[in-house]
């Protein structure tokens, strides 16, 4: 029975003029004492009068602190038995498993998939954010249309028609947290429609196939040859996932006959074409091939993203959907917008003000120069290696002499250079003959790191 | 066989100095002609030489435009048969189903769940965004930690400990696109662990129960009485979803004995407590009751959100997870961050700079005044109606005379006042005796709309 504070032997460290005042300080100190086990479960606390006297503070302050802690469940107050520490052992949180970090970060990275983040137009973006936020009605900050902000959908409908030949309207566009989120939505939608499988390309990103499999869909691979992915074997699949403008990672456009054949399959069977237009803005030798979606907006879902043109960290992507799929897509998205409205409004302003086009033009010039430098360096230093694919995008495929891929990737790792061998991006069930190649993301480094990364690459090439 | 442009009868509207030059203009005009059906499938186009002559432009320009359109699939080029419009009918996109809009928006809204959006601190937010973006390393803009930005997780760990008594560390926090996203993640996680059901409260939001059911979980309701939700019937459920600090919508805190009983159940059975702390910052009569999570961080998932303290449009929420659940939560989230980094970095700066506390303090004052005004107006004008629940949050429960709820809600609709009757927030299987009440979201209007909304409310009260 502790009837005065001294008998408890607990040091309270009260800060008489703390942020929340004496009551707050006392509450925090007592809570800490219970948490840490310094006040054991069942311990009876001194009466508020007695503790107030010991501490030289008002009795009410102590009574209120006790009441707070009773309300939080740390103490119990029972008629006749006073105030006690609650009869429950509080375990400290278990230690966090050590995170699986690589022992050393690579010095250079030519891993594809990320643009030059150092060239993200921070000042222009902030200017657009200021204008967008100043113009936004206050209810734009509430729970909004699950498809995303109307300003952004309108700006995208215009931009995609102009730049990519997409035939859509603002009502049919759904904003997503990047491409992966769009693919999750589509996977759920297809599964809900009864689809069992989505055909994919022989080369691509395992994380995308994984997302579809997570939705309960099989992901059989279509063959790949000189004309691109062959839609010939398509049958009763619910959909096919393609990169028509610039196959990732092979770097070739889908042959016109095959564009037509894919759309014909979709019309014949009721299947869907999922068009991943991840880097459609970046073509260096000529005007980009327009989106496949333009051939049949009722059978093709167009998927775009700000991750290559601006930055993945924005987590902004978009789908132009066949109007008949809209309700199902919104249901699969979960009837609530998942993307922050401020970035959506800012991107809308960025698009309509022309800042987006200016940024893409300057990025195109930057990446084109890098691609040219890469091709020149490879031609000069490694005549056995061929840079293949069209002059487009943020990556190039470097064909290596047969049997050398694994040793080149290993040598790169030793040199502190991160990159992907083509094997890493090959579908496990692909029937196409394996090729030895590197997938070089020349868009990844900053301008200042680019020369060093290219030099490191040329050192490891055969 | 069309051998000159004139025979096609198609008006090209070429803009000789358009944005993309002559080739772009010709490509666009031809594409439009094919799309619209003005150039029928199978139509043979004039030779590039002939069309160039007709239009007075270089032959190469025409040849390149044809090549572009062949690559896009609009035209076909075959040895010996010239260039033709592709043999496929292009259907215009189907009309969008008319959106289900209400015929007239209400004049006033007292629907709970949204803070006063007009008082979102736009200028301070932009200032924080500028500071945050200036300080961010460029790789912050890449694909990041699926848990969210470390700056924000660190700022939240400190804030939640200080303001809500949450015991966590940055490593155990996962950023989500608001509470719904967190609940989706937890639903998937629980289902993957084999859970069949998650107990919920007798009163709450149907959309939340719906999310859990969407994950394949049953949502049985716990009874509710004067001490709050009764955890007595809890048995083999995988988890229980609660609003301990301020029951939504009843407005009472969970009794200390029941806080303890819930944690005891979780320890005994291995179940989880999902603590929805949606408005824990807003208590007006005393220091808020600390988070239940502090009683056992290994069994309670703490869920917070910026939707009530700042704005739902930010789509930012957070979970403080038991460390043992972290990997499963990241897997259920999809191994990729889904929230824009710019808003995450800005909120971190907002928290650490003290701007968040300043904003919450001023919002607390605003809402407290409104609650006081509501209570005074009800006491004066409708003595039969009682304002119940603690002085906290952004909503109040108005108990109505038995049998009057439906007619009051109907009268409100006629007056252009949107609000929720308690019936709307009652679990279909709730066994608690039904009560007649209104759930009044006094936080929803702007300052300028508040007086009118309150006046409209008093007009419809019995």
């Amino acid at each position: 029975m502790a009837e005065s504070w001294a008998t408890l032997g607990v040091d309270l460290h009260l800060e008489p003029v703390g942020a929340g005042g004496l009551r707050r300080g006392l509450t925090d100190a007592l809570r800490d004492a219970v948490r840490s086990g310094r006040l054991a479960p069942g311990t009876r606390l001194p009466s508020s009068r007695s503790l107030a006297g010991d501490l030289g503070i008002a009795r009410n302050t102590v009574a209120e602190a006790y009441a707070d802690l009773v309300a939080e469940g740390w103490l119990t107050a029972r008629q006749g038995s006073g105030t006690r520490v609650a009869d429950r052992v509080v375990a400290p949180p278990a230690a966090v498993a050590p995170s699986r970090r690589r022992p050393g970060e690579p010095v250079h990275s030519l891993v594809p998939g990320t643009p030059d983040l150092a060239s993200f137009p921070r000042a222009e973006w902030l200017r657009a954010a200021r204008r967008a936020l100043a113009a936004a009605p206050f209810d734009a900050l509430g729970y909004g249309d699950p498809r995303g902000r109307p300003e952004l959908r309108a700006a995208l409908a215009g931009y995609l028609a102009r730049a990519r030949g997409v035939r859509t309207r603002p009502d049919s566009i759904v904003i997503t947290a990047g491409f992966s989120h769009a693919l999750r939505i589509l996977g759920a939608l297809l599964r809900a429609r009864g689809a069992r499988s989505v055909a994919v390309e022989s080369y691509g990103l395992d994380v995308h196939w994984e997302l579809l499999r997570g939705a309960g869909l099989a992901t059989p691979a279509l063959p790949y040859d000189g004309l691109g992915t062959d839609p010939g074997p398509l049958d009763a699949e619910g959909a096919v996932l393609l990169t028509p403008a610039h196959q990732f990672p092979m770097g070739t456009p889908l042959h016109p006959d095959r564009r037509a054949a894919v759309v014909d399959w979709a019309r014949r069977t009721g299947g869907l074409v999922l068009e991943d237009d991840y880097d459609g803005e970046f073509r260096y030798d000529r005007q980009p091939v327009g989106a496949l979606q333009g051939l049949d907006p009722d059978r093709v879902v167009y998927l775009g993203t700000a991750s290559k043109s601006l930055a993945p960290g924005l987590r902004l992507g978009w789908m132009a959907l066949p109007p008949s799929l809209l309700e199902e897509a919104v249901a699969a998205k979960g009837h609530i917008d998942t993307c922050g409205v401020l970035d959506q409004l800012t991107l809308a302003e960025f698009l309509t003000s022309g800042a987006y086009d200016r940024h893409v033009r300057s990025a195109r010039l930057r990446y084109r120069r890098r691609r040219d430098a890469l091709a020149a360096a490879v031609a000069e230093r490694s005549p056995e290696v061929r840079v293949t694919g069209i002059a487009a995008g943020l990556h190039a495929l470097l064909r290596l002499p047969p049997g050398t891929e694994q040793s080149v990737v290993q040598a790169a790792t030793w040199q502190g250079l991160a990159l992907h061998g083509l094997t890493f991006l090959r579908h496990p069930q692909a029937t196409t003959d394996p090729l030895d190649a590197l997938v070089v993301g020349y868009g990844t480094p900053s301008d200042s790191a680019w020369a060093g990364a290219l030099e490191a690459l040329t050192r490891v090439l055969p």
Side-chain angles (χ1 to χ4, degrees), chain A residues 107-108 110 417 445-459:
Chain A
V107 184
H108 304 290
L110 291 171
L417 169 64
S446 66
D447 276 347
S448 58
W450 162 242
L454 179 58
E455 176 57 32
L457 175 67
T458 54
R459 277 200 302 272

Side-chain angles (χ1 to χ4, degrees), chain A residues 192-243:
Chain A
R193 296 195 135 203
R196 299 299 185 90
S197 62
V198 172
V200 301
E201 299 185 281
S202 283
Y203 295 97
L205 282 170
D206 185 49
V207 289
H208 295 166
W209 306 328
E210 204 56 72
L211 273 174
L212 294 169
R213 287 194 290 264
L217 297 157
T219 56
L222 294 172
Y224 177 87
D225 60 27
L227 306 182
T229 293
D230 178 6
L234 278 174
D235 184 17
E237 290 86 359
V240 56
L241 175 63
L242 293 173
T243 48

Side-chain angles (χ1 to χ4, degrees), chain A residues 324-335:
Chain A
S324 61
L325 288 184
L326 206 52
E327 289 215 8
E328 290 161 76
V330 167
K333 194 182 177 188
H335 294 289

Side-chain angles (χ1 to χ4, degrees), chain A residues 121-451:
Chain A
R122 298 186 186 209
E124 291 81 357
W125 187 264
L126 281 171
R127 267 197 293 277
R130 197 167 51 239
R131 284 194 304 267
L133 198 48
F138 65 75
D139 63 6
L141 295 163
Y143 293 98
D145 189 317
R147 292 173 297 184
R149 284 303 302 170
E151 296 89 338
L152 178 55
R153 290 184 287 116
L156 281 169
Y159 171 76
L160 294 174
R162 174 166 59 80
R164 304 295 299 123
V166 172
R167 295 158 67 196
T168 187
R169 39 190 145 196
D171 275 353
S172 303
I173 291 179
V174 171
I175 308 301
T176 63
F179 175 83
S180 303
H181 182 216
L183 199 57
R184 275 171 90 95
I185 292 169
L186 292 169
L189 179 157
L190 286 161
R191 197 68 195 83
R193 296 195 135 203
R196 299 299 185 90
S197 62
V198 172
V200 301
E201 299 185 281
S202 283
Y203 295 97
L205 282 170
D206 185 49
V207 289
H208 295 166
W209 306 328
E210 204 56 72
L211 273 174
L212 294 169
R213 287 194 290 264
L217 297 157
T219 56
L222 294 172
Y224 177 87
D225 60 27
L227 306 182
T229 293
D230 178 6
L234 278 174
D235 184 17
E237 290 86 359
V240 56
L241 175 63
L242 293 173
T243 48
H246 187 220
Q247 207 285 330
F248 185 84
M250 302 304 282
T252 51
L254 190 62
H255 189 274
D257 289 349
R258 293 199 167 160
R259 287 168 67 100
V262 167
V263 171
D264 284 343
W265 164 80
R267 288 178 179 169
R268 206 169 57 240
T269 64
L272 286 176
V273 183
L274 313 183
E275 177 175 26
D276 176 5
D277 195 43
Y278 62 106
D279 68 357
E281 279 97 347
F282 296 113
R283 175 109 196 210
Y284 311 127
D285 53 345
R286 38 160 283 174
Q287 191 182 333
V289 172
L292 182 63
Q293 189 267 4
L295 291 182
D296 194 340
D298 280 330
R299 302 254 47 98
V300 183
V301 180
Y302 175 88
L303 297 145
T305 175
S307 295
K308 315 304 169 197
S309 55
L310 283 163
L314 293 178
R315 305 313 308 128
L316 281 174
W318 41 86
M319 300 192 270
L321 287 156
S324 61
L325 288 184
L326 206 52
E327 289 215 8
E328 290 161 76
V330 167
K333 194 182 177 188
H335 294 289
I336 201 164
D337 194 6
T338 40
C339 304
V341 294
L342 302 185
D343 283 341
Q344 291 189 59
L345 294 170
T346 304
L347 180 56
E349 169 67 25
F350 217 68
L351 283 160
T352 50
S353 69
Y356 189 86
D357 292 79
R358 283 194 298 279
H359 173 68
V360 165
R361 265 203 302 280
S362 107
R364 205 183 275 140
L365 192 63
R366 165 180 292 112
Y367 298 136
R368 177 186 195 145
R369 283 187 183 136
R370 290 192 192 174
R371 189 181 177 96
D372 290 348
L374 171 67
V378 168
E380 189 196 323
R381 307 269 291 264
S382 303
E384 280 186 281
V385 176
R386 274 195 308 128
V387 178
T388 65
I390 56 175
L394 312 181
H395 75 275
L397 193 81
L398 268 56
R399 290 282 298 274
L400 301 172
T404 61
E405 178 183 316
Q406 205 186 339
S407 62
V408 171
V409 172
Q410 185 58 62
T413 307
W414 285 330
Q415 294 265 344
L417 169 64
L419 47 65
H420 281 345
L422 181 60
T423 309
F424 182 78
L425 298 160
R426 185 180 158 85
H427 193 287
Q429 278 100 50
T431 53
T432 313
D433 285 341
L435 295 172
D436 285 78
L438 298 179
V439 184
V440 174
Y442 53 78
T444 306
S446 66
D447 276 347
S448 58
W450 162 242

